[in-house]
Amino acid sequence: MPPVKRKPRTYDPALVRAGLIGQVEAVRNAVHGLTPDQLARPSGLTGWDVRHLVVHIAGQIEAVPRLLAEPPPRATAPETDLNTWAVSVAGAAHELDEATRRHARAYDSAARAVDDAVEELEPVLEQAVRADVLLPHSFGAMRALDFTVTRLLELVVHSDDLTRATGVRVPLVRHALATTVRLLADALAAKAPGASVEVRIPPFAVVQCVAGPRHTRGTPPNVVETDPLTWIRLATGRTDWLGELDAAHLTASGERADLRDHLPVLE
């Protein structure tokens, strides 16, 4: 039986906008409270201290107004969707690292880098969540709304990095958290198409993935279930499958319910 083609998930522009505003503000508040000692700590990301991480976050915020200010792409339809972005972004890691280091050299204050990025973002918030505006992304033309959805993911993932590195809690705005969970779950389903395993991340997402016998009724024989934050850390390579399993942060039942070959989704 051929796999059933999944209808792409849609995101409400108003909720995306609210999630962006809320998560940006949570990051900004946390960053302004960091001490020099906290900024000098390892970020958990290879080669970066916390100061580099903060400057990188500023760059992810600033990317929205920067792309909106560029000439529109020649394409008349999107060439890059959210799943394509998620499974491709690891290939741009070297360029992102270089851009972050350049950005860090340009700022004496990491908090000021965030402030400047927020100042640039505020006037374009409405345009940033339009589905009819195409941005000239390096992966191919992308809807402004979709690109802004990816900013929610970047902000949530790096808010968690910041919390883990400094001990300063950066609150995760509910809609930003939900969007991140769903984007990563959908990307897993695209990366490992099929319907033999059901992945549950309550209360935000349920997807089926991995090739094999399709389940049609009753309790699925292969089920993975975990909480939102554990899922995000697994899907982005922050933690590993066996470690989270041993810590009882996830359950996996059934002979096919081992996702190690398909993780991380995004690095």
Side-chain angles (χ1 to χ4, degrees):
M1 180 182 295
V4 176
K5 188 173 182 179
R6 299 175 67 247
K7 185 177 180 181
R9 192 186 301 271
T10 59
Y11 293 92
D12 184 315
L15 293 178
V16 171
R17 180 182 182 279
L20 180 65
I21 292 170
Q23 199 60 49
V24 164
E25 192 62 22
V27 168
R28 189 181 195 179
N29 289 338
V31 164
H32 274 274
L34 295 179
T35 65
D37 172 72
Q38 288 170 322
L39 287 166
R41 292 180 188 177
S43 68
L45 304 176
T46 304
W48 289 359
D49 57 18
V50 170
R51 182 173 180 277
H52 282 94
L53 172 59
V54 172
V55 170
H56 177 71
I57 294 171
Q60 303 312 297
I61 297 168
E62 182 269 340
V64 177
R66 176 172 52 79
L67 287 184
L68 281 167
E70 291 185 10
R74 294 182 179 180
T76 58
E79 298 169 322
T80 300
D81 61 13
L82 289 168
N83 289 340
T84 302
W85 177 88
V87 300
S88 302
V89 71
H94 179 68
E95 290 80 2
L96 286 170
D97 178 70
E98 288 189 338
T100 295
R101 294 182 186 280
R102 287 195 305 271
H103 206 176
R105 289 193 294 269
Y107 275 94
D108 293 331
S109 166
R112 182 59 185 167
V114 173
D115 288 343
D116 285 354
V118 174
E119 186 176 337
E120 292 183 33
L121 175 66
E122 287 175 344
V124 301
L125 281 168
E126 296 302 330
Q127 195 175 6
V129 294
R130 285 179 56 176
D132 60 338
V133 171
L134 290 181
L135 301 182
H137 196 279
S138 59
F139 298 161
M142 193 171 189
R143 296 194 312 165
L145 174 61
D146 287 345
F147 184 67
T148 300
V149 165
T150 71
R151 300 308 88 190
L152 293 187
L153 182 148
E154 293 280 359
L155 285 164
V156 166
V157 170
H158 291 315
S159 291
D160 184 46
D161 289 336
L162 199 56
T163 294
R164 297 171 77 191
T166 65
V168 174
R169 179 177 174 269
V170 185
L172 300 180
V173 174
R174 181 178 175 84
H175 184 69
L177 178 63
T179 297
T180 300
V181 167
R182 290 164 184 158
L183 194 163
L184 290 169
D186 290 345
L188 171 66
K191 182 179 180 181
S196 68
V197 179
E198 185 165 286
V199 179
R200 301 170 178 171
I201 310 114
F204 299 130
V206 178
V207 296
Q208 293 184 339
C209 58
V210 183
R214 176 180 296 279
H215 176 74
T216 56
R217 62 177 62 187
T219 302
N222 303 287
V223 176
V224 172
E225 184 165 336
T226 189
D227 64 274
L229 203 49
T230 298
W231 166 241
I232 289 170
R233 292 172 179 173
L234 282 169
T236 59
R238 267 59 179 178
T239 56
D240 68 273
W241 178 266
L242 291 180
E244 296 291 16
L245 200 60
D246 289 345
H249 294 160
L250 66 87
T251 58
S253 59
E255 61 181 17
R256 295 177 181 273
D258 185 336
L259 299 180
R260 279 179 290 176
D261 289 344
H262 311 294
L263 295 172
V265 177
L266 177 152
E267 298 185 69

